């Protein structure tokens, strides 16, 4: 498989691939957006917005993949599937319902944890209010703001066919405490997860009470 590319389709023996560059929180400059468009046009690729606040570039020939990455001058969004693969952010800084300008914290979380190698993939979301329009409650880790502008963390949420209600890990936090708790939580998962154990299953197996004792008492 070509580096940092995913097989999109194989029709009559002709393989086409899709790549996804790193765009923290879905926020990018006009210059970067123009560059993506120019490169996609040059290689006759399609461009698609994903539900994970990314831009997928598809219909790519295998022999063009390396050249496209070089011309984009962007990092791949996912280098290792068993890692923190995404940090989604709501538009809190520009939303009238927001109780906390969460984008700055989202960027800090991205810089510190994105790509961190773990037993399985982990998704994080940050939201500026309890409405959580980016579904922070159903991510592995959700960081939200209450009505007073204090941050809280939920873990183990899951949607889909077999949904799981989130657990509240910690409340009334500042940004430094949020980063510290997530750091301890991910290392706890890394050290104690069973082989190929998903994050949600790890939370359920260990139990929120024991996780709190392992993390919060050490802060």
């Amino acid at each position: 498989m070509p580096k940092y590319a995913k097989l999109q389709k194989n029709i009559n023996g002709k393989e086409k691939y899709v790549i996804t560059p790193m765009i923290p929180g879905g926020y990018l400059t006009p210059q970067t957006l123009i560059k993506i468009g120019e490169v996609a046009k040059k290689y006759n690729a399609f461009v698609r917005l994903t539900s994970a606040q990314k831009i997928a570039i598809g219909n790519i020939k295998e022999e063009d993949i390396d050249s496209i990455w070089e011309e984009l001058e962007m990092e791949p969004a996912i280098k290792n599937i068993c890692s923190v693969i995404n940090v989604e952010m709501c538009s809190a800084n520009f939303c009238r319902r927001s109780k906390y300008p969460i984008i700055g914290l989202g960027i800090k979380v991205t810089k510190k944890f994105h790509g961190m190698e773990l037993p399985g993939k982990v998704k994080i979301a940050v939201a500026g209010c309890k409405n959580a329009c980016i579904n922070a409650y159903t991510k592995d880790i959700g960081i939200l703001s209450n009505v007073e502008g204090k941050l809280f963390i939920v873990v183990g949420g899951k949607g889909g066919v077999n949904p799981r209600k989130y657990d509240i890990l910690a409340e009334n936090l500042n940004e430094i405490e949020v980063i510290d708790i997530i750091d301890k939580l991910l290392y706890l998962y890394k050290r104690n997860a069973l082989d190929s154990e998903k994050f949600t299953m790890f939370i359920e197996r260990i139990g929120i009470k024991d996780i709190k004792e392992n993390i919060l008492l050490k802060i």
Side-chain angles (χ1 to χ4, degrees):
M1 183 69 68
K3 198 170 186 180
Y4 308 132
K6 182 179 179 181
L7 180 63
Q8 176 192 341
K9 61 183 178 180
N10 186 328
I11 300 176
N12 298 324
K14 296 181 180 180
E15 295 182 339
K16 292 297 180 70
Y17 292 83
V18 60
I19 65 171
T20 310
M22 178 64 179
I23 302 175
Y27 294 97
L28 72 173
T29 65
Q31 290 80 6
T32 300
L33 184 59
I34 290 169
K35 180 183 288 186
I36 290 172
E38 289 175 341
V39 172
K41 183 177 180 180
K42 176 179 178 180
Y43 290 93
N44 194 33
F46 75 69
V47 178
R48 181 176 69 88
L49 297 176
T50 76
S51 60
Q53 299 180 331
K54 297 184 176 75
I55 292 178
I57 306 170
N59 199 44
I60 298 171
K61 297 177 182 177
E62 182 175 357
E63 59 266 28
D64 293 332
I65 292 172
D66 289 341
S67 297
I68 290 173
W69 277 124
E70 184 177 343
E71 292 178 36
L72 285 174
E73 298 180 305
M74 299 175 73
E75 289 291 316
I78 301 175
K79 294 183 178 180
N80 180 356
I81 194 64
C82 292
S83 66
V84 176
I85 64 169
N86 200 36
V87 180
E88 292 183 41
M89 309 172 206
C90 77
S91 57
N93 299 43
F94 311 101
C95 177
R96 63 187 177 86
R97 292 185 175 85
S98 174
K99 304 302 180 183
Y100 191 94
I102 204 84
I103 295 174
L105 176 57
I107 296 297
K108 292 175 186 176
V109 171
T110 300
K111 288 181 177 180
K112 184 169 180 63
F113 299 112
H114 184 266
M116 178 181 179
E117 293 188 7
L118 297 166
K121 64 181 178 182
V122 169
K123 296 180 181 180
I124 301 174
V126 295
C129 76
K130 296 176 76 173
N131 286 342
C133 59
I134 55 168
N135 298 320
Y137 295 112
T138 60
K139 298 297 189 294
D140 296 300
I141 301 172
I143 307 161
L144 304 97
S145 173
N146 63 22
V147 293
E148 288 82 27
K150 290 289 186 177
L151 302 171
F152 65 99
I153 299 173
V154 299
V155 296
K158 181 184 175 186
V161 177
N162 299 302
R164 181 184 187 278
K165 188 178 185 298
Y166 63 87
D167 294 302
I168 297 177
L169 178 60
E171 300 179 273
N172 297 315
L173 307 170
N174 58 40
E175 291 192 7
I176 294 174
E177 291 168 330
V178 166
I179 296 288
D180 191 29
I181 289 171
I182 293 176
D183 190 47
K184 289 180 170 64
L185 176 62
L186 292 176
Y187 275 104
L188 183 71
Y189 172 51
K190 189 171 186 176
R191 290 193 304 267
N192 297 283
L194 302 176
D195 186 38
S196 301
E197 185 175 34
K198 294 181 179 180
F199 184 83
T200 300
M201 300 306 295
F202 170 76
I203 296 292
E204 197 163 80
R205 177 173 64 84
I206 300 298
I208 193 64
K209 180 180 178 181
D210 285 348
I211 289 174
K212 286 181 178 181
E213 289 178 355
N214 273 279
I215 295 174
L216 303 184
L217 294 180
K218 298 177 182 178
I219 295 178

